[in-house]
Amino acid sequence: MMLEHRTTLAPADVLVRAKTFFARRNPLYAAFLEKEGDAFATFRGQGGEELVIGVAPVDGGTVVRAS
């Protein structure tokens, strides 16, 4: 499933917040940073599931896509 959202945050701020959010979850639901770059971060859950977050600047903010 692909989700998309627009925000007024800068792309780098979105990724910092995602890393903080997933690191602070209950250990059963946490996802751990696996790879990152300027425009993406991938996380791995304890059950092997993968979450990918990509960001792209647009007029007035950032488009965030997650899968």
Side-chain angles (χ1 to χ4, degrees):
M1 177 187 311
M2 178 76 71
L3 303 173
E4 183 175 299
H5 183 74
R6 284 181 167 237
T7 179
T8 57
L9 294 171
D13 292 337
V14 171
L15 295 175
V16 166
R17 288 181 184 208
K19 289 186 277 189
T20 301
F21 177 84
F22 288 108
R24 290 186 177 166
R25 299 296 93 195
N26 176 312
L28 182 61
Y29 302 110
F32 303 95
L33 184 65
E34 189 170 64
K35 296 179 186 176
E36 65 180 317
D38 293 338
F40 76 95
T42 63
F43 301 86
R44 182 79 49 191
Q46 289 193 18
E49 59 276 7
E50 183 179 49
L51 169 66
V52 180
I53 297 176
V55 294
V58 294
D59 290 338
T62 300
V63 170
V64 182
R65 290 189 181 107
S67 170

